[in-house]
């Protein structure tokens, strides 16, 4: 099987994006994996056979699922099915938590210093990159490090309005300096999206800015805050140079609503598998559509 780095390279070359979806429970993992397998079976993706997919665990999600448990789940599926499913430590905010994730066996990590000053963001990111490189050298693994510059708001939740300070776009000049100073593998710039579902609407992606940042940095770019964006925002962004797209809030909402509906419709049901299956199905439906779009599958 190819490494995650190789799959991302392939996505870059083919002008498609790998889907990154966060989980908090088995329903999420099953829904996402079912969707990825179904699209793989359709054929016609840029990857030829099995469609790669990345599962994200933020610090909070990792705490709830369990760090070792998350790694064990993803590795078990990958090894059993020989399927390119990978695990990312999403939005980790300290060197310690990044180090713990790397040591536990995550395939990639995101050090999120977006709220820090440029200098402090570079400093903490560099520390994480150096650690990942040393682990890779000692173990033969290839843990990837991503970092974010330009605050796009925190939390995959429902927001009334765009949070203060969020949405300031990353300049190509800062992007280049940040990438050069840190040596990261993937870069998450602020290009118009905001984390979460915004009640008052979702801003558009500035695809020209994506093109410029891609041109100057030359490394794979990641789009965060995908929930609620229109299809053409995704396709334009991917065409402009986005190689990984993150979705979380849409999954959380679908999960919550499906369970709520199942309980309301059958208040005497107490078998978890029966109450929770609709959540798996609802998540699968969302991820299926997103993955088709990201990968140009008709
Ligand atoms: O890292 C997670 C994502 O960027 C999720 O963003 O909640 O808008 O889907 P979202
Ligand atoms: Zn994010």
């Amino acid at each position: 099987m190819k490494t995650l780095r190789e799959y991302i390279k392939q996505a870059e070359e083919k002008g498609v994006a790998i889907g990154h979806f966060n989980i908090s429970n088995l329903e999420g993992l099953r829904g996402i994996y079912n969707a990825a397998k179904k699209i793989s079976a359709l054929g016609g993706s840029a990857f030829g056979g099995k469609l790669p997919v990345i599962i994200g665990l933020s610090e909070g999600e990792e705490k709830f699922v369990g760090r070792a448990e998350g790694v064990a789940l993803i590795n078990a599926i990958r090894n059993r099915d020989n399927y390119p499913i990978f695990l990312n430590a999403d939005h980790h905010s300290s060197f310690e938590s990044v180090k713990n994730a790397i040591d536990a066996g995550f395939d990639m990590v995101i050090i999120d210093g977006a709220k820090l000053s440029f200098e402090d963001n570079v400093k903490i990111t560099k520390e994480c990159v150096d650690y990942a490189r040393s682990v890779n050298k000692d173990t033969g693994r290839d843990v990837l490090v991503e970092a974010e510059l330009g605050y796009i708001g925190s939390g995959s939740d429902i927001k009334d309005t765009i949070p203060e300070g969020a949405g300031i776009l990353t300049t190509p000049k800062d992007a280049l300096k940040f990438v050069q100073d840190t040596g990261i593998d993937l870069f998450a710039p602020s290009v118009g999206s905001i984390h979460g579902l915004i009640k008052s609407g979702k801003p558009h992606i500035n695809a020209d800015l994506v093109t410029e940042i891609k041109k100057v940095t030359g490394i794979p770019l990641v789009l965060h805050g995908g929930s609620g964006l229109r299809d053409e925002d995704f396709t334009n962004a991917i065409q402009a140079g986005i190689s990984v797209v993150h979705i979380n809030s849409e999954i959380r909402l679908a999960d919550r609503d499906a369970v709520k509906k199942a309980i309301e419709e059958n208040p005497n049901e107490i078998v978890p598998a029966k109450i929770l299956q609709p959540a798996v199905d609802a998540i699968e439906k969302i991820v299926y559509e997103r993955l088709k779009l990201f990968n140009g599958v008709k």
Side-chain angles (χ1 to χ4, degrees), residues 35-160:
K37 278 191 298 184
K38 273 194 184 158
I39 298 176
S40 301
L42 289 179
S45 89
F47 296 97
K50 296 171 179 174
L51 195 71
V53 66
I54 304 172
I55 301 296
L57 285 176
S58 66
E59 279 176 333
E61 290 159 349
E62 182 184 307
K63 203 167 166 200
F64 186 67
V65 170
R67 190 183 296 129
E69 290 86 338
V71 172
L73 278 168
I74 302 306
N75 283 347
I77 294 174
R78 184 160 65 205
N79 296 335
R80 183 194 62 195
D81 298 347
N82 189 31
Y83 195 96
I85 182 167
F86 300 97
L87 184 63
N88 175 41
D90 196 21
H91 294 290
H92 279 42
S93 57
S94 67
F95 171 74
E96 216 47 43
S97 63
V98 163
K99 181 182 180 298
N100 287 338
I102 292 175
D103 292 348
F106 280 64
D107 302 297
M108 70 174 282
V109 293
I110 301 182
I111 175 66
D112 185 347
K115 279 187 191 158
L116 305 173
S117 68
F118 185 92
E119 291 71 26
D120 289 345
N121 195 354
V122 166
K123 191 166 170 255
I124 194 171
T125 300
K126 186 81 180 57
E127 202 181 350
C128 295
V129 170
D130 289 346
Y131 184 68
R133 298 292 182 259
S134 73
V135 168
N136 291 350
K137 195 163 165 256
D138 293 346
T139 62
R141 290 166 63 197
D142 190 13
V143 183
L144 305 179
V145 181
E146 177 186 326
E148 188 175 320
L149 181 70
Y151 185 48
I152 67 164
S154 55
S156 287
D157 48 18
I158 296 174
K159 297 175 168 70
D160 287 324

Side-chain angles (χ1 to χ4, degrees), residues 91 195 224 246:
H91 294 290
H195 279 127
H224 282 254
H246 280 230

Side-chain angles (χ1 to χ4, degrees), residues 4-5 11 16 23 80 101 103 105 117 142 145 163 168 178 206 222 231 279 283:
L4 178 56
R5 187 187 296 277
V16 297
I23 63 162
R80 183 194 62 195
D103 292 348
S117 68
D142 190 13
V145 181
I168 298 167
F178 187 78
N206 185 335
V222 181
D231 284 4
I283 293 167

Side-chain angles (χ1 to χ4, degrees), residues 20 22 90-91 110 152 155-157 194-197 202 223-228 246-250:
H20 173 295
N22 293 70
D90 196 21
H91 294 290
I110 301 182
I152 67 164
S156 287
D157 48 18
I194 301 286
H195 279 127
L197 288 159
K202 192 102 177 171
L223 181 71
H224 282 254
S227 289
H246 280 230
I247 302 277
N248 191 0
S249 301
E250 290 178 359

